[in-house]
Amino acid sequence: MPLFGRPSDAQSDAARPDAAPGVFARRWADPFGTLATRCLQIIVVLVVAIGIVYAAATLSVVTIPVLLALIIASAMHPVVSWLRRHKVPSVLATLAVLLGVLVVLGLVGWLIVVAVIAQWPDLQKSAISGFQQLQDAVDHLPFAISDQQVDQVVDGVQDFLTSSQFGSGALAGASATANFLTGLVLMIVVLFFFLKDGPAIWEFLLRPFTGARYERARRVGDRVVQTLGGYVRGTASVAAVDAIGIGVGLAIVGVPLALPLAVVVFITAFIPIVGATAAGILAALVALVANGPVAALIVVGIVVLVNQLEGNLLQPVLMGKTLKLHGLVILIGLTAGTVLAGITGAIISVPLLAAAWGAVQVWDGPGQPALPWRQKRPETAERR
């Protein structure tokens, strides 16, 4: 008998001799209890996921170089394995591949700088001429823009350049440069160890697993490396063809900075869907400023032709089944990656999504997806 008030329902149920055990558990087993349990599980999963994403974004100086090193190492792993099979010592094979990657990256940056410096005077003259044409077009608009309004805009730009906000932005740019150099050095070091000891590192991480769980982890790891490597190699091949085709077209039309624009096409090709469009718009704008509207239209036609060749021939042949993601998933992944890590996030988000989907496809066995994502009935949908 409680000291105050009447006994609660739980106490009454427990005090009754005929009360069956598990009354409280049965109350959570009804439809509303099941719904509440699922909601709590979803909340816990979301909290953990948000915590992981927040930690990764906070430590982006570490996480992004490590992810980039993992992606590059996955792409270069067959080369290192080939060298080792041909009796090349492991350290020498790793150094050879690492130096090759660094030389390619350095050559790309050097080509951009040299081409911009060589063609900068011509581009500057074309920009001045284009600006004058823009002023003439403004003078012939159906509505008038006074000189006072133009002076106000110029004064606003000058005030911003001399304000403390611009100074703080310059300091932020210096800090971003320091973070970039730090991340670059870290990526090179991590890439060396991934190339040299990647399989050994993975085996060390799998020590807690045994039996079926160990086999699953091995299967997932192999599929992730295979997917990342295939994605990078296929995308690099497609990007090279795009860059060569568009670069040759720009050179024939006589657009300045054809080589840097071709390099930009190569880099943006690693961003699905939006990368080719952005590179085409940039090339058309340069052609419009430097060569006029006719040349800009020709450049647009070249970009469209190369993109059609890529989408209908190169992507299916070179990429194969590496990237089996719906366009909507790619767009959402690109948006999330860009918000979290800028242009780098946009580049690495899609291969990471492809790797995650590849892991799901072998979760329960070779060629056997995880049960929730396994096809359980004939799936038909009307396409319009």
Side-chain angles (χ1 to χ4, degrees):
M1 188 73 178
L3 295 178
F4 301 99
R6 65 175 187 170
S8 62
D9 293 340
Q11 292 173 333
S12 299
D13 292 338
R16 292 203 325 248
D18 58 341
V23 173
F24 183 77
R26 287 202 304 273
R27 290 176 179 174
W28 280 88
D30 64 3
F32 286 105
T34 303
L35 176 62
T37 303
R38 293 292 179 265
C39 291
L40 288 175
Q41 291 172 342
I42 293 173
I43 291 173
V44 171
V45 171
L46 288 177
V47 169
V48 173
I50 292 173
I52 294 174
V53 172
Y54 176 77
T58 304
L59 301 174
S60 59
V61 179
V62 177
T63 56
I64 291 179
V66 171
L67 290 175
L68 287 174
L70 175 62
I71 293 173
I72 298 174
S74 300
M76 296 292 105
H77 177 69
V79 181
V80 177
S81 299
W82 183 85
L83 291 175
R84 288 172 178 170
R85 288 195 302 268
H86 287 74
K87 308 303 180 181
V88 178
S90 178
V91 176
L92 293 180
T94 302
L95 288 176
V97 173
L98 180 62
L99 289 177
V101 172
L102 295 179
V103 167
V104 171
L105 295 178
L107 181 62
V108 170
W110 180 77
L111 288 175
I112 294 177
V113 173
V114 170
V116 170
I117 293 176
Q119 300 186 17
W120 182 256
D122 297 336
L123 185 63
Q124 188 177 15
K125 294 178 182 178
S126 300
I128 294 174
S129 176
F131 183 72
Q132 292 176 349
Q133 295 177 4
L134 180 62
Q135 285 183 323
D136 295 338
V138 170
D139 293 336
H140 294 84
L141 290 175
F143 52 89
I145 298 178
S146 63
D147 295 337
Q148 183 179 2
Q149 292 174 324
V150 176
D151 293 337
Q152 288 177 353
V153 174
V154 175
D155 293 338
V157 173
Q158 292 177 348
D159 293 339
F160 172 73
L161 293 177
T162 56
S163 64
S164 59
Q165 182 180 1
F166 180 78
S168 61
L171 292 177
S175 177
T177 302
N179 290 337
F180 171 78
L181 294 176
T182 303
L184 179 62
V185 173
L186 178 61
M187 187 198 73
I188 294 173
V189 175
V190 175
L191 177 59
F192 171 80
F193 286 109
F194 278 173
L195 291 173
K196 180 178 177 294
D197 301 321
I201 294 174
W202 183 238
E203 282 294 334
F204 174 80
L205 295 176
L206 296 183
R207 283 184 179 180
F209 302 97
T210 57
R213 293 184 178 180
Y214 171 77
E215 296 298 329
R216 172 181 292 170
R218 283 292 304 271
R219 199 166 52 243
V220 168
D222 293 341
R223 175 54 70 90
V224 167
V225 172
Q226 178 185 355
T227 302
L228 291 177
Y231 175 84
V232 174
R233 291 189 295 269
T235 304
S237 302
V238 173
V241 174
D242 289 350
I244 293 173
I246 294 178
V248 170
L250 294 176
I252 294 174
V253 176
V255 178
L257 300 178
L259 182 58
L261 288 174
V263 176
V264 171
V265 171
F266 178 82
I267 296 174
T268 55
F270 285 86
I271 306 177
I273 300 177
V274 299
T277 303
I281 292 175
L282 179 61
L285 288 176
V286 174
L288 177 63
V289 172
N291 302 83
V294 176
L297 291 176
I298 295 175
V299 170
V300 171
I302 294 173
V303 173
V304 171
L305 178 62
V306 172
N307 287 336
Q308 289 298 317
L309 175 65
E310 170 198 335
N312 296 322
L313 180 61
L314 296 179
Q315 285 280 1
V317 173
L318 296 179
M319 297 295 291
K321 298 181 179 180
T322 300
L323 188 62
K324 296 184 293 184
L325 297 176
H326 194 275
L328 179 61
V329 176
I330 294 177
L331 286 176
I332 294 175
L334 286 175
T335 305
T338 304
V339 171
L340 293 174
I343 186 65
T344 306
I347 293 175
I348 67 176
S349 59
V350 176
L352 292 180
L353 284 174
W357 181 242
V360 171
Q361 295 301 305
V362 296
W363 189 259
D364 287 337
Q368 191 172 8
L371 181 60
W373 304 103
R374 202 177 303 166
Q375 184 174 350
K376 305 173 183 62
R377 66 192 66 86
E379 297 177 358
T380 58
E382 182 180 359
R383 297 183 181 270
R384 296 182 180 180

